[in-house]
Amino acid sequence: MTDITDMKHISQVQVNERRPSAVGGDASRFVILAASVFLCFSAAIWAQTPVSPPSDANQSWTVTRESHTEDVLPTRTVESHVQEGNRSVDKQSVERLGLGGHFEPYQDTETESVQVNSTTVRTITRIFVRDGAGARALWQTTEEERRTLPSGESRTERVVSALDYDGKLQPARREISQTKKIAGDVEETKTTVMLPSITGGLAPAVQIEERQQRTGNNIEFKKTVQGLDAGSGKWQVSEVQQRSTKEEGNSRTTEERVSRRDYEGKLSDYARTVSKESESPSGEKQSTVDNYSVDMLGASRDGSLYLVQRVTSSETTGPSGQQTAMQKVEEPNPGDPSAGLRVTSLISDKVSSGPSGAQATRTVQVRNGGGEFEVMSVDTAKSDNIHAIHVQIGPPKPQ
């Protein structure tokens, strides 16, 4: 077994950010930057694990990133992955800048996954923090076992343990999920979440039921979350998510609605998302995501859904394999929310690969208080594993 600490770094990521001008104030910059961070999922170039791993089971990679953000101490993250046979190990080490101007260890996460046999996978994740003396101390563990039953059903049990007041690890959360097919095209998953009770130990506190039905190229999904009412001891629905996905040729439309219990105890509309994706015969991909919410910055909630964000993305692949993704984010002006949407940030990603590996560049521009766009960050990544860097616009396709 190769020791990850001795592995050669195969990827380097440097982040260089310019400070924006003072025009516009801290509040507007924070809102714009927060929106950009929220949308990073739709044009991801920093892959935690390979999207399409090579056929060779014995593979490894390491990624080092540095982040410099205004008014925040710089951080450095080192991630590594090792796959050997039926065992994989992922490590993440987060370091922050200390008083002496050097990066100091802050938090470590280690995840080990073992394919025990053809039906069972066990995974354990350990999170370490630093104590007052700077020594590494175990803070939290998550143990998971997923089994495929002879009937074709699957059962997953997950236990999260955290430190108690005496500094000992104690179970703080337990989840049991069971997935089965009700019919050929209907799949159902039921999950029970157990949390600490006033009488000691863990007791059922949340129930989640998910049902997915596939009819041809269309998928209907519904998720119902119930919580145990402390007063009556009865289960009450707290949230319902419904998603419908329709595919036709090279286009896909997805609509999702979320209802939550309001202050009157009734389920009402909380959010809605409509996404449309298409791919041209030449391979160019287009995506538009409209996000609606009962909460809009600068306006009081009145129970109606308002368009609070629109994300337009495009992705192309050049003759040499270079991928380019462009993303435009539009949001209402908090000072005049009824005036419609305006562009608040622009994100561009470029990924190229060759015999020596792959490299990527992300540039983020945001609108300042004067209405002009300026570069907020430029991130670059390099790797000799072409599967560790990729571009993806829009949410992943439903399974």
Side-chain angles (χ1 to χ4, degrees):
M1 177 67 64
T2 303
D3 188 345
I4 296 182
T5 57
D6 295 332
M7 286 168 32
K8 176 183 178 182
H9 284 189
I10 64 172
S11 174
Q12 293 291 329
V13 179
Q14 298 101 12
V15 179
N16 303 307
E17 297 186 351
R18 291 193 333 198
R19 294 174 61 92
S21 65
V23 180
D26 293 338
S28 62
R29 287 202 301 270
F30 173 79
V31 171
I32 296 172
L33 182 57
S36 301
V37 172
F38 175 77
L39 288 158
C40 282
F41 77 91
S42 58
I45 62 171
W46 318 119
Q48 299 291 325
T49 57
V51 176
S52 303
S55 58
D56 182 10
N58 299 316
Q59 54 182 302
S60 62
W61 51 260
T62 299
V63 177
T64 300
R65 297 191 307 225
E66 288 191 11
S67 177
H68 299 265
T69 306
E70 184 181 14
D71 299 327
V72 177
L73 285 176
T75 61
R76 180 168 62 193
T77 303
V78 180
E79 299 173 354
S80 62
H81 172 79
V82 168
Q83 177 77 44
E84 290 189 350
N86 64 343
R87 179 176 180 267
S88 66
V89 177
D90 291 272
K91 293 186 178 183
Q92 182 189 76
S93 178
V94 180
E95 303 172 350
R96 60 183 180 182
L97 197 65
L99 296 178
H102 304 287
F103 282 103
E104 300 174 349
Y106 175 67
Q107 177 176 295
D108 300 323
T109 303
E110 299 177 359
T111 299
E112 180 181 0
S113 183
V114 178
Q115 181 84 42
V116 180
N117 51 45
S118 60
T119 63
T120 305
V121 177
R122 290 176 184 162
T123 302
I124 181 169
T125 299
R126 301 178 179 90
I127 300 178
F128 299 87
V129 295
R130 303 288 162 168
D131 60 19
R136 197 171 82 153
L138 183 61
W139 177 66
Q140 179 178 293
T141 64
T142 301
E143 299 178 72
E144 178 182 296
E145 180 176 281
R146 188 176 190 276
R147 297 179 59 196
T148 302
L149 307 178
S151 61
E153 302 176 8
S154 64
R155 176 185 172 88
T156 301
E157 183 170 350
R158 183 181 300 109
V159 178
V160 179
S161 299
L163 293 180
D164 61 11
Y165 292 108
D166 296 325
K168 299 180 180 179
L169 281 176
Q170 297 291 343
R173 180 186 179 99
R174 183 184 182 196
E175 299 177 15
I176 299 177
S177 300
Q178 191 154 349
T179 301
K180 63 180 180 179
K181 284 193 174 183
I182 301 177
D185 57 356
V186 180
E187 185 177 85
E188 182 182 76
T189 299
K190 292 185 176 181
T191 302
T192 299
V193 180
M194 287 165 278
L195 300 174
S197 67
I198 58 176
T199 59
L202 302 179
V206 178
Q207 289 184 344
I208 304 172
E209 182 175 313
E210 299 169 275
R211 177 172 292 202
Q212 179 170 287
Q213 179 174 357
R214 181 185 293 270
T215 305
N217 292 328
N218 300 332
I219 301 175
E220 298 291 334
F221 174 83
K222 183 177 182 179
K223 177 179 179 180
T224 303
V225 180
Q226 298 184 84
L228 191 62
D229 182 70
S232 64
K234 297 181 180 180
W235 293 101
Q236 291 187 345
V237 176
S238 59
E239 181 175 290
V240 176
Q241 299 179 22
Q242 293 180 285
R243 182 173 67 243
S244 176
T245 302
K246 298 181 180 180
E247 295 186 4
E248 183 176 355
N250 292 328
S251 65
R252 177 165 63 116
T253 301
T254 301
E255 181 173 354
E256 180 174 331
R257 288 183 174 271
V258 178
S259 300
R260 290 182 180 175
R261 191 172 296 278
D262 58 22
Y263 66 93
E264 296 180 343
K266 300 178 182 179
L267 283 177
S268 59
D269 289 339
Y270 178 78
R272 176 172 174 252
T273 301
V274 179
S275 63
K276 298 180 180 180
E277 301 169 67
S278 63
E279 183 173 352
S280 67
S282 62
E284 182 179 1
K285 299 178 182 179
Q286 302 283 343
S287 172
T288 300
V289 180
D290 287 343
N291 293 299
Y292 299 81
S293 175
V294 294
D295 294 317
M296 182 166 63
L297 199 62
S300 300
R301 181 187 290 193
D302 60 7
S304 301
L305 293 175
Y306 293 95
L307 181 60
V308 297
Q309 191 178 73
R310 172 172 292 157
V311 184
T312 306
S313 306
S314 65
E315 178 188 335
T316 58
T317 302
S320 61
Q322 175 176 297
Q323 293 178 287
T324 301
M326 304 293 296
Q327 186 178 86
K328 178 176 67 175
V329 181
E330 300 174 81
E331 297 170 306
N333 183 350
D336 187 9
S338 62
L341 302 178
R342 63 171 187 170
V343 180
T344 56
S345 62
L346 300 170
I347 304 172
S348 65
D349 292 321
K350 293 183 179 180
V351 178
S352 59
S353 59
S356 60
Q359 58 183 4
T361 302
R362 162 172 290 179
T363 303
V364 179
Q365 300 179 70
V366 299
R367 182 192 295 270
N368 60 25
E372 299 178 346
F373 285 92
E374 55 185 16
V375 176
M376 173 63 70
S377 65
V378 177
D379 303 350
T380 60
K382 295 182 180 180
S383 172
D384 62 6
N385 184 337
I386 62 174
H387 301 281
I389 303 177
H390 71 287
V391 165
Q392 175 184 306
I393 65 169
K397 289 188 177 182
Q399 300 297 318

